[in-house]
Every structure is written in C-alpha cells, then in structure tokens.
Amino acid sequence: MAWYPFNYCNRGGIPKIEVNTVTVSDNNVALTLPNNTFRFLASSGIILLRLNQPIPTGTTATLPVVLSVNEFTQALTNIGGTPITVAELPGAGVYVVYYDKDANLMQLLTSIIA
C-alpha cells in the first residue's frame, strides 16, 4: 500500500480520492476526505472523487456541499463559481473535480454514477 492518501487510476494519471464520511449539518453537507489528501498533489489538476455513499435521504436539497480535510473546508462550486448543492449530486458514484490549491478552488466538472 502506498503512503499517499489516494490511488492513481492509471499510471501517473488522475488520482482517485475516496470520501470517508458524509456529514449533514444545518449549514452544509461536508464530504470528508482522508488526512493530507492534497499534500502530495501538484498545485492544480483534476481528481476523481469517489462518493461511496449517497447523501442521506431527506437532506435539504438547497444545502451547499463542501469538501473537508484536516478540519479545513472548501466549497465545491460549479464552473461559474456558484456553490454546488445537494440537488446537484445525484448519488453515489465518481465525480470529476478540478482543484487549484493557490486559488482555493474546487470545481465540479461532471459525474459518473456507478
């Protein structure tokens, strides 16, 4: 097992990151990633975000979705910069996300539902 908190899906290619837990609060839905997830990644790129469990049924569809790692949260946005809501994550599956560490940017590009 590698000491990185992610796996590459193809040789030297796009890292796949597993969502550890989904936490619903009054303010948002937090998708928690493994500790140090972004430490070994380049300053920007594409990741495959695997959501193994759906957001719980009955969660308010207008709640924004955030990614949480090492007690830091970052809003997940669309390409226009609008926060992604629960209604825009159709369920468990793989999501393609663009990240930019310098700009504090996490953009949902598309989804591949399992």
Side-chain angles (χ1 to χ4, degrees):
M1 183 166 131
W3 49 277
Y4 296 112
F6 53 83
N7 295 314
Y8 283 103
C9 290
N10 54 3
R11 189 172 183 160
I14 301 171
K16 178 188 66 148
I17 301 171
E18 304 275 337
V19 173
N20 284 342
T21 57
V22 175
T23 306
V24 178
S25 73
D26 292 338
N27 301 324
N28 60 42
V29 173
L31 307 179
T32 304
L33 307 178
N35 289 336
N36 301 314
T37 293
F38 293 96
R39 181 177 182 179
F40 301 104
L41 293 176
S43 63
S44 65
I46 294 174
I47 58 173
L48 299 176
L49 188 65
R50 183 176 175 113
L51 182 59
N52 291 321
Q53 59 185 343
I55 294 171
T57 304
T59 301
T60 304
T62 58
L63 282 176
V65 176
V66 298
L67 299 178
S68 175
V69 63
N70 296 86
E71 299 183 23
F72 174 79
T73 58
Q74 177 68 45
L76 183 61
T77 64
N78 66 18
I79 292 175
T82 306
I84 295 293
T85 64
V86 169
E88 296 169 274
L89 293 182
V94 179
Y95 294 85
V96 181
V97 175
Y98 171 77
Y99 72 92
D100 186 329
K101 291 194 258 185
D102 297 329
N104 287 331
L105 181 65
M106 298 294 289
Q107 290 183 334
L108 177 66
L109 301 178
T110 188
S111 62
I112 306 162
I113 301 302

